[in-house]
């Protein structure tokens, strides 16, 4: 599992855990959030941030970038365009997300 190190003094502004990623879901972003640490839990997650929903197929081919279960990353892009879905249909994946300004 990768360890995330944030640069500078970041101030936490919120945390969420997604409830269901069986369909593509965007993030619930606090008003003053600028960056996030995003962690996949349970199973792998496919994500995109180009305005197109992430997708999966029954065969498990992810339509987006893959975030392996247990891994996390420091996201600095447009939080409002981020979508995620379980990489394999019916695999029970979700995200832990910590927001910072």
């Amino acid at each position: 599992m990768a360890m995330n190190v944030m640069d500078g003094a970041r101030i936490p502004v919120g945390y969420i855990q997604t409830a269901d990623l069986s369909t593509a879901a965007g993030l619930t972003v606090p008003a003053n959030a600028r960056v996030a640490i995003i962690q996949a839990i349970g199973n792998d997650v496919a994500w995109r941030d180009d305005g197109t929903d992430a997708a999966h197929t029954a065969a498990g081919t992810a339509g987006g970038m893959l975030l392996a279960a247990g891994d996390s990353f420091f996201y600095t892009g447009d939080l409002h365009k981020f979508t995620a879905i379980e990489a394999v249909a019916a695999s029970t994946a979700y995200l832990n997300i910590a927001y910072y300004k």
Side-chain angles (χ1 to χ4, degrees):
M1 179 184 325
M3 174 65 114
N4 287 292
V5 178
M6 295 194 306
D7 58 333
R10 299 284 179 188
I11 299 169
V13 295
Y15 166 85
I16 65 164
Q17 184 177 81
T18 61
D20 180 17
L21 291 177
S22 60
T23 59
L27 302 179
T28 302
V29 182
N32 51 357
R34 298 180 47 105
V35 297
I37 295 176
I38 300 173
Q39 178 185 46
I41 300 296
N43 283 293
D44 298 347
V45 172
W47 65 272
R48 291 181 69 151
D49 64 354
D50 61 355
T52 300
D53 283 346
H56 63 214
T57 67
T61 304
M65 301 296 292
L66 186 65
L67 180 60
D71 282 354
S72 61
F73 71 105
F74 187 56
Y75 183 76
T76 61
D78 186 341
L79 293 166
H80 298 283
K81 288 187 177 181
F82 186 97
T83 65
I85 193 168
E86 56 196 20
V88 177
S91 65
T92 313
Y94 56 96
L95 297 173
N96 287 330
I97 306 163
Y99 293 103
Y100 300 86
K101 66 178 182 176

